[in-house]
């Protein structure tokens, strides 16, 4: 099974590497990082990550992961990124996003008629990207069939473990969480930040 992770300038580091810390412990899952042009892509925090594939590559991924970041506000208008997402989603078994990555999924039409969540601090802006999406304000993460979306930054780790549970079983998900010494929030409907930001 292959996981393809989209990177773009000023992506959020933990949106990518939080989930990958969990998913990278699954046997027989290969992970590839993709950007418009293969090479260094600079995160919002500064450090660059080297991508292995570019948008011309024809690899099909069973899972795709779309992170968020401050630059999603401009990337929703980037046709090459939106087209890549739409194309890869057609053959993917599972489609996932963290934080404002769901804005890119929405713009690509992936979330039409679906339930989804996003960064609670950018909720209004992301919601404006698709009136055809049922945005769930209070959730930590949301699963709608084969689409997993999560709230801000660390919620992506909980979502990744939920995805592992879906594909490889709860025992494997708990084993990985324990190995990382991570306290997994297994209830997608409980998010203390929804209360804090008045989104209940």
């Amino acid at each position: 099974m292959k996981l393809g992770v989209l990177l773009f300038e000023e992506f959020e580091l933990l949106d990518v590497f939080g989930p990958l810390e969990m998913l990278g412990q699954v046997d027989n899952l290969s992970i590839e990082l993709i950007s418009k042009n293969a090479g260094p892509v600079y995160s919002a925090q500064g450090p660059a990550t080297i991508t292995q594939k570019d948008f011309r590559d024809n690899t099909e991924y069973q899972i795709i992961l779309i992170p968020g970041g401050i630059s999603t506000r401009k990337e929703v208008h980037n046709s090459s990124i939106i087209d890549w997402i739409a194309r890869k989603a057609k053959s993917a078994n599972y489609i996932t996003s963290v934080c404002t990555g769901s804005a890119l999924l929405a713009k690509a039409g992936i979330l039409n008629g679906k339930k989804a969540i996003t960064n609670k601090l950018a909720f209004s802006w992301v919601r404006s990207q698709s009136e055809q999406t049922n945005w769930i304000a209070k959730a930590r993460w949301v699963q709608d069939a084969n689409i997993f979306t999560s709230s801000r930054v660390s919620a992506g780790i909980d979502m990744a473990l939920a995805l592992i549970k879906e594909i490889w079983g709860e025992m494997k998900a708990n084993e990985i969480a324990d190995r990382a010494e991570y306290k997994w929030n297994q209830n997608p409907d409980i998010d203390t930040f929804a209360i804090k930001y008045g989104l209940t």
Side-chain angles (χ1 to χ4, degrees):
M1 185 174 285
K2 289 188 176 182
L3 164 62
V5 184
L6 173 67
L7 295 189
F8 43 82
E9 295 295 328
E10 296 185 284
F11 71 91
E12 189 72 24
L13 273 175
L14 193 59
D15 286 6
V16 172
F17 294 106
L20 292 190
E21 175 64 31
M22 304 301 159
L23 289 159
Q25 297 184 59
V26 175
D27 295 333
N28 301 319
L29 177 65
S30 62
I31 299 170
E32 293 181 345
L33 306 178
I34 307 101
S35 59
K36 182 176 181 179
N37 299 300
V41 180
Y42 289 87
S43 67
Q45 289 71 30
T49 297
I50 305 298
T51 60
Q52 301 119 309
K53 298 285 182 68
D54 62 31
F55 287 178
R56 295 168 296 182
D57 184 78
N58 292 320
T59 301
E60 292 188 354
Y61 298 100
Q62 286 69 51
I63 306 170
I64 59 171
L65 170 64
I66 313 299
I70 189 66
S71 65
T72 53
R73 287 150 181 80
K74 66 178 181 181
E75 301 300 357
V76 292
H77 306 293
N78 185 333
S79 60
S80 64
I81 281 181
I82 301 306
D83 290 348
W84 185 89
I85 293 171
R87 181 162 48 92
K88 294 302 180 182
K90 287 180 181 178
S91 59
N93 296 50
Y94 295 94
I95 303 160
T96 71
S97 70
V98 182
C99 195
T100 55
S102 57
L104 300 176
L105 290 182
K107 200 71 172 184
I110 307 303
L111 299 181
N112 289 350
K114 302 293 185 180
K115 295 182 291 184
I117 184 58
T118 190
N119 181 339
K120 292 175 173 60
L121 291 179
F123 194 81
S124 295
W125 173 75
V126 176
R127 185 170 54 186
S128 73
Q129 303 306 309
S130 173
E131 295 181 355
Q132 299 182 59
T133 301
N134 180 13
W135 297 103
I136 309 297
K138 67 178 183 177
R140 179 82 171 155
W141 80 89
V142 170
Q143 178 184 1
D144 190 328
N146 67 329
I147 299 174
F148 288 70
T149 56
S150 61
S151 188
R152 194 175 180 211
V153 192
S154 64
I157 301 174
D158 294 327
M159 180 270 292
L161 288 165
L163 178 64
I164 292 168
K165 176 183 175 181
E166 172 80 7
I167 302 172
W168 292 282
E170 187 172 5
M171 183 179 297
K172 174 60 71 174
N174 281 316
E175 174 190 317
I176 289 172
D178 288 346
R179 194 181 302 157
E181 296 187 355
Y182 181 77
K183 186 175 181 180
W184 176 23
N185 177 357
Q186 297 194 45
N187 189 333
D189 298 322
I190 296 178
D191 191 342
T192 57
F193 292 98
I195 299 170
K196 182 174 183 178
Y197 300 135
L199 292 172
T200 57

